[in-house]
Amino acid sequence: MSVRLDPLTGVLQGAAVKESRRTLAGLTGYFRDEAARAAMDQDRLAYRVQAYEPKPEGERGAVCCATTFLEPGTVGDEYFLTRGHFHVNEDCSELEVTVSGTGLLVLMTAARRTWTEPMRAGSVHHVPPGTAHRVANTGDAPLVFVSYWPSETGHDYGTIVERGFGARVRRIDGQPAIVPEPD
Ligand code: F6R
Ligand code: ZN
């Protein structure tokens, strides 16, 4: 079994690589302006993920990796984003390595303390244990990054669906702004 990660493009290839696509229809409820999202082309691609998971999700004993290709764009004044999640196993951290593009990694503790880190080619980001993470593309080109996490991690999307993050990344006066969001 062989897997190849192209270091210039982030493309992951091999029989064991699985690709998933998330359109605007699959991001219902994630943006501040839901009416603006609903008025857009529901088939428009927001991001693709190519994942190599040597063990099934939740089973320990392996390291997984995935490349995310997050398209540029906005919904209302909010930049295209990934859904974001906590890890079920709170001991599990993650690394994000940016391949190309520009954006912000949004991080949030269980107590909703929220901060961001700028992403650009070559930037490496550690997501500490117990920290929710989401990415927003603030540039004009796809934002491509590779994530690495332990196979026993598990993914909790429900908490973010219910409560969101403590801040949103919005385009205000043409510039990215990190705007606190009430709970
Ligand atoms: C894995 C991880 C990334 C994301 C990907 C898509 O733990 O954090 O590979 O899964 O960037 O984002 P979500 O999964 O939040 O839709
Ligand atoms: Zn993760």
Side-chain angles (χ1 to χ4, degrees):
M1 193 201 311
S2 75
V3 174
R4 181 177 155 75
L5 171 63
D6 184 323
L8 297 179
T9 63
V11 169
L12 260 180
Q13 281 179 318
V17 174
K18 292 196 178 118
E19 177 163 319
S20 59
R21 297 165 63 84
R22 189 150 293 270
T23 60
L24 287 179
L27 289 172
T28 303
Y30 281 95
F31 291 95
R32 180 171 167 268
D33 189 344
E34 171 55 23
R37 189 209 60 79
M40 294 171 73
D41 176 2
Q42 297 301 291
D43 293 331
R44 182 163 162 189
L45 182 69
Y47 57 98
R48 284 184 299 133
V49 179
Q50 294 173 335
Y52 170 47
E53 301 184 58
K55 293 246 180 190
E57 163 131 3
E59 197 174 301
R60 60 177 57 247
V63 175
C64 303
C65 70
T67 305
T68 303
F69 303 84
L70 176 59
E71 296 297 316
T74 51
V75 173
D77 67 4
E78 191 171 6
Y79 294 99
F80 274 20
L81 45 71
T82 59
R83 292 174 295 171
H85 53 262
F86 282 98
H87 291 160
V88 173
N89 184 334
E90 292 177 5
D91 293 337
C92 290
S93 54
E94 180 166 322
L95 275 183
E96 319 286 7
V97 180
T98 312
V99 174
S100 61
T102 51
L104 289 171
L105 173 63
V106 184
L107 299 153
M108 180 178 75
T109 66
R112 292 185 69 77
R113 187 176 73 80
T114 303
W115 71 103
T116 63
E117 294 183 7
M119 298 176 76
R120 59 189 156 78
S123 65
V124 177
H125 309 268
H126 180 241
V127 178
T131 308
H133 43 289
R134 154 182 289 170
V135 171
N137 184 348
T138 58
D140 299 326
L143 174 57
V144 182
F145 58 96
V146 185
S147 308
Y148 300 88
W149 70 96
S151 53
E152 67 267 30
T153 293
H155 292 79
D156 164 24
Y157 291 94
T159 306
I160 298 302
V161 169
E162 283 168 23
R163 299 190 57 197
F165 280 72
R168 290 187 179 274
V169 185
R170 294 164 58 185
R171 184 163 65 197
I172 296 179
D173 297 332
Q175 297 293 323
I178 301 147
V179 183
E181 181 81 359
D183 192 357

PDB file of all heavy atoms in Angstrom, residues 139-156:
ATOM      1  N   GLY A 139      -8.045  34.803   1.868  1.00  0.00           N
ATOM      2  CA  GLY A 139      -7.351  35.204   0.644  1.00  0.00           C
ATOM      3  C   GLY A 139      -8.214  35.032  -0.600  1.00  0.00           C
ATOM      4  O   GLY A 139      -9.416  34.763  -0.520  1.00  0.00           O
ATOM      5  N   ASP A 140      -7.574  35.192  -1.764  1.00  0.00           N
ATOM      6  CA  ASP A 140      -8.270  35.075  -3.043  1.00  0.00           C
ATOM      7  C   ASP A 140      -8.047  33.719  -3.703  1.00  0.00           C
ATOM      8  O   ASP A 140      -8.603  33.454  -4.765  1.00  0.00           O
ATOM      9  CB  ASP A 140      -7.769  36.162  -4.008  1.00  0.00           C
ATOM     10  CG  ASP A 140      -8.045  37.549  -3.473  1.00  0.00           C
ATOM     11  OD1 ASP A 140      -9.084  37.731  -2.798  1.00  0.00           O
ATOM     12  OD2 ASP A 140      -7.227  38.455  -3.710  1.00  0.00           O
ATOM     13  N   ALA A 141      -7.197  32.900  -3.135  1.00  0.00           N
ATOM     14  CA  ALA A 141      -6.858  31.588  -3.708  1.00  0.00           C
ATOM     15  C   ALA A 141      -7.256  30.502  -2.708  1.00  0.00           C
ATOM     16  O   ALA A 141      -7.494  30.803  -1.526  1.00  0.00           O
ATOM     17  CB  ALA A 141      -5.356  31.527  -3.984  1.00  0.00           C
ATOM     18  N   PRO A 142      -7.327  29.247  -3.147  1.00  0.00           N
ATOM     19  CA  PRO A 142      -7.613  28.182  -2.173  1.00  0.00           C
ATOM     20  C   PRO A 142      -6.582  28.186  -1.044  1.00  0.00           C
ATOM     21  O   PRO A 142      -5.407  28.477  -1.266  1.00  0.00           O
ATOM     22  CB  PRO A 142      -7.510  26.906  -3.016  1.00  0.00           C
ATOM     23  CG  PRO A 142      -7.810  27.343  -4.412  1.00  0.00           C
ATOM     24  CD  PRO A 142      -7.239  28.730  -4.526  1.00  0.00           C
ATOM     25  N   LEU A 143      -7.050  27.897   0.156  1.00  0.00           N
ATOM     26  CA  LEU A 143      -6.165  27.724   1.316  1.00  0.00           C
ATOM     27  C   LEU A 143      -5.990  26.215   1.499  1.00  0.00           C
ATOM     28  O   LEU A 143      -6.977  25.492   1.694  1.00  0.00           O
ATOM     29  CB  LEU A 143      -6.783  28.374   2.550  1.00  0.00           C
ATOM     30  CG  LEU A 143      -6.060  28.170   3.880  1.00  0.00           C
ATOM     31  CD1 LEU A 143      -4.609  28.644   3.824  1.00  0.00           C
ATOM     32  CD2 LEU A 143      -6.794  28.903   4.999  1.00  0.00           C
ATOM     33  N   VAL A 144      -4.754  25.768   1.379  1.00  0.00           N
ATOM     34  CA  VAL A 144      -4.466  24.337   1.423  1.00  0.00           C
ATOM     35  C   VAL A 144      -3.603  24.050   2.647  1.00  0.00           C
ATOM     36  O   VAL A 144      -2.579  24.709   2.852  1.00  0.00           O
ATOM     37  CB  VAL A 144      -3.727  23.892   0.130  1.00  0.00           C
ATOM     38  CG1 VAL A 144      -3.469  22.385   0.151  1.00  0.00           C
ATOM     39  CG2 VAL A 144      -4.523  24.294  -1.110  1.00  0.00           C
ATOM     40  N   PHE A 145      -4.039  23.094   3.459  1.00  0.00           N
ATOM     41  CA  PHE A 145      -3.245  22.745   4.644  1.00  0.00           C
ATOM     42  C   PHE A 145      -3.380  21.245   4.919  1.00  0.00           C
ATOM     43  O   PHE A 145      -4.375  20.617   4.552  1.00  0.00           O
ATOM     44  CB  PHE A 145      -3.665  23.562   5.877  1.00  0.00           C
ATOM     45  CG  PHE A 145      -5.112  23.432   6.261  1.00  0.00           C
ATOM     46  CD1 PHE A 145      -5.504  22.523   7.240  1.00  0.00           C
ATOM     47  CD2 PHE A 145      -6.087  24.191   5.641  1.00  0.00           C
ATOM     48  CE1 PHE A 145      -6.839  22.392   7.605  1.00  0.00           C
ATOM     49  CE2 PHE A 145      -7.434  24.068   5.990  1.00  0.00           C
ATOM     50  CZ  PHE A 145      -7.798  23.163   6.978  1.00  0.00           C
ATOM     51  N   VAL A 146      -2.337  20.712   5.565  1.00  0.00           N
ATOM     52  CA  VAL A 146      -2.319  19.295   5.910  1.00  0.00           C
ATOM     53  C   VAL A 146      -2.442  19.175   7.427  1.00  0.00           C
ATOM     54  O   VAL A 146      -1.738  19.873   8.170  1.00  0.00           O
ATOM     55  CB  VAL A 146      -1.022  18.604   5.422  1.00  0.00           C
ATOM     56  CG1 VAL A 146      -1.087  17.095   5.682  1.00  0.00           C
ATOM     57  CG2 VAL A 146      -0.799  18.880   3.942  1.00  0.00           C
ATOM     58  N   SER A 147      -3.344  18.317   7.878  1.00  0.00           N
ATOM     59  CA  SER A 147      -3.580  18.083   9.307  1.00  0.00           C
ATOM     60  C   SER A 147      -3.059  16.695   9.681  1.00  0.00           C
ATOM     61  O   SER A 147      -3.187  15.753   8.898  1.00  0.00           O
ATOM     62  CB  SER A 147      -5.084  18.126   9.607  1.00  0.00           C
ATOM     63  OG  SER A 147      -5.670  19.311   9.110  1.00  0.00           O
ATOM     64  N   TYR A 148      -2.525  16.578  10.887  1.00  0.00           N
ATOM     65  CA  TYR A 148      -2.040  15.283  11.413  1.00  0.00           C
ATOM     66  C   TYR A 148      -2.636  15.080  12.795  1.00  0.00           C
ATOM     67  O   TYR A 148      -2.550  15.980  13.640  1.00  0.00           O
ATOM     68  CB  TYR A 148      -0.507  15.290  11.527  1.00  0.00           C
ATOM     69  CG  TYR A 148       0.205  15.510  10.210  1.00  0.00           C
ATOM     70  CD1 TYR A 148       0.479  16.798   9.761  1.00  0.00           C
ATOM     71  CD2 TYR A 148       0.598  14.437   9.416  1.00  0.00           C
ATOM     72  CE1 TYR A 148       1.133  17.013   8.546  1.00  0.00           C
ATOM     73  CE2 TYR A 148       1.255  14.637   8.204  1.00  0.00           C
ATOM     74  CZ  TYR A 148       1.512  15.933   7.779  1.00  0.00           C
ATOM     75  OH  TYR A 148       2.153  16.135   6.572  1.00  0.00           O
ATOM     76  N   TRP A 149      -3.239  13.927  13.056  1.00  0.00           N
ATOM     77  CA  TRP A 149      -3.860  13.665  14.346  1.00  0.00           C
ATOM     78  C   TRP A 149      -3.843  12.166  14.645  1.00  0.00           C
ATOM     79  O   TRP A 149      -3.799  11.346  13.723  1.00  0.00           O
ATOM     80  CB  TRP A 149      -5.293  14.227  14.376  1.00  0.00           C
ATOM     81  CG  TRP A 149      -6.265  13.481  13.515  1.00  0.00           C
ATOM     82  CD1 TRP A 149      -7.125  12.489  13.896  1.00  0.00           C
ATOM     83  CD2 TRP A 149      -6.489  13.656  12.097  1.00  0.00           C
ATOM     84  NE1 TRP A 149      -7.858  12.037  12.825  1.00  0.00           N
ATOM     85  CE2 TRP A 149      -7.488  12.733  11.706  1.00  0.00           C
ATOM     86  CE3 TRP A 149      -5.943  14.498  11.117  1.00  0.00           C
ATOM     87  CZ2 TRP A 149      -7.946  12.635  10.390  1.00  0.00           C
ATOM     88  CZ3 TRP A 149      -6.394  14.391   9.804  1.00  0.00           C
ATOM     89  CH2 TRP A 149      -7.381  13.467   9.458  1.00  0.00           C
ATOM     90  N   PRO A 150      -3.893  11.785  15.919  1.00  0.00           N
ATOM     91  CA  PRO A 150      -3.888  10.354  16.263  1.00  0.00           C
ATOM     92  C   PRO A 150      -5.227   9.697  15.920  1.00  0.00           C
ATOM     93  O   PRO A 150      -6.281  10.334  16.024  1.00  0.00           O
ATOM     94  CB  PRO A 150      -3.675  10.339  17.787  1.00  0.00           C
ATOM     95  CG  PRO A 150      -3.382  11.744  18.187  1.00  0.00           C
ATOM     96  CD  PRO A 150      -3.899  12.640  17.119  1.00  0.00           C
ATOM     97  N   SER A 151      -5.157   8.420  15.566  1.00  0.00           N
ATOM     98  CA  SER A 151      -6.374   7.739  15.101  1.00  0.00           C
ATOM     99  C   SER A 151      -7.433   7.605  16.194  1.00  0.00           C
ATOM    100  O   SER A 151      -8.618   7.447  15.889  1.00  0.00           O
ATOM    101  CB  SER A 151      -6.014   6.354  14.548  1.00  0.00           C
ATOM    102  OG  SER A 151      -5.266   5.616  15.494  1.00  0.00           O
ATOM    103  N   GLU A 152      -7.035   7.676  17.471  1.00  0.00           N
ATOM    104  CA  GLU A 152      -8.033   7.525  18.548  1.00  0.00           C
ATOM    105  C   GLU A 152      -8.767   8.834  18.866  1.00  0.00           C
ATOM    106  O   GLU A 152      -9.542   8.901  19.832  1.00  0.00           O
ATOM    107  CB  GLU A 152      -7.380   6.968  19.823  1.00  0.00           C
ATOM    108  CG  GLU A 152      -6.394   7.894  20.510  1.00  0.00           C
ATOM    109  CD  GLU A 152      -4.947   7.656  20.061  1.00  0.00           C
ATOM    110  OE1 GLU A 152      -4.738   7.239  18.898  1.00  0.00           O
ATOM    111  OE2 GLU A 152      -4.031   7.908  20.859  1.00  0.00           O
ATOM    112  N   THR A 153      -8.536   9.867  18.066  1.00  0.00           N
ATOM    113  CA  THR A 153      -9.044  11.212  18.369  1.00  0.00           C
ATOM    114  C   THR A 153     -10.575  11.286  18.456  1.00  0.00           C
ATOM    115  O   THR A 153     -11.124  11.742  19.450  1.00  0.00           O
ATOM    116  CB  THR A 153      -8.542  12.198  17.287  1.00  0.00           C
ATOM    117  OG1 THR A 153      -7.133  12.314  17.417  1.00  0.00           O
ATOM    118  CG2 THR A 153      -9.174  13.554  17.428  1.00  0.00           C
ATOM    119  N   GLY A 154     -11.281  10.884  17.431  1.00  0.00           N
ATOM    120  CA  GLY A 154     -12.747  11.058  17.371  1.00  0.00           C
ATOM    121  C   GLY A 154     -13.087  12.528  17.160  1.00  0.00           C
ATOM    122  O   GLY A 154     -12.328  13.411  17.573  1.00  0.00           O
ATOM    123  N   HIS A 155     -14.207  12.793  16.507  1.00  0.00           N
ATOM    124  CA  HIS A 155     -14.568  14.173  16.166  1.00  0.00           C
ATOM    125  C   HIS A 155     -15.950  14.530  16.693  1.00  0.00           C
ATOM    126  O   HIS A 155     -16.910  13.803  16.453  1.00  0.00           O
ATOM    127  CB  HIS A 155     -14.519  14.362  14.653  1.00  0.00           C
ATOM    128  CG  HIS A 155     -13.122  14.271  14.107  1.00  0.00           C
ATOM    129  ND1 HIS A 155     -12.482  13.070  13.905  1.00  0.00           N
ATOM    130  CD2 HIS A 155     -12.229  15.230  13.777  1.00  0.00           C
ATOM    131  CE1 HIS A 155     -11.250  13.296  13.451  1.00  0.00           C
ATOM    132  NE2 HIS A 155     -11.082  14.597  13.367  1.00  0.00           N
ATOM    133  N   ASP A 156     -16.024  15.639  17.416  1.00  0.00           N
ATOM    134  CA  ASP A 156     -17.292  16.138  17.979  1.00  0.00           C
ATOM    135  C   ASP A 156     -17.682  17.415  17.239  1.00  0.00           C
ATOM    136  O   ASP A 156     -17.096  18.474  17.463  1.00  0.00           O
ATOM    137  CB  ASP A 156     -17.111  16.404  19.486  1.00  0.00           C
ATOM    138  CG  ASP A 156     -18.225  17.273  20.062  1.00  0.00           C
ATOM    139  OD1 ASP A 156     -19.340  17.289  19.478  1.00  0.00           O
ATOM    140  OD2 ASP A 156     -17.986  17.952  21.074  1.00  0.00           O
TER     141      ASP A 156
END
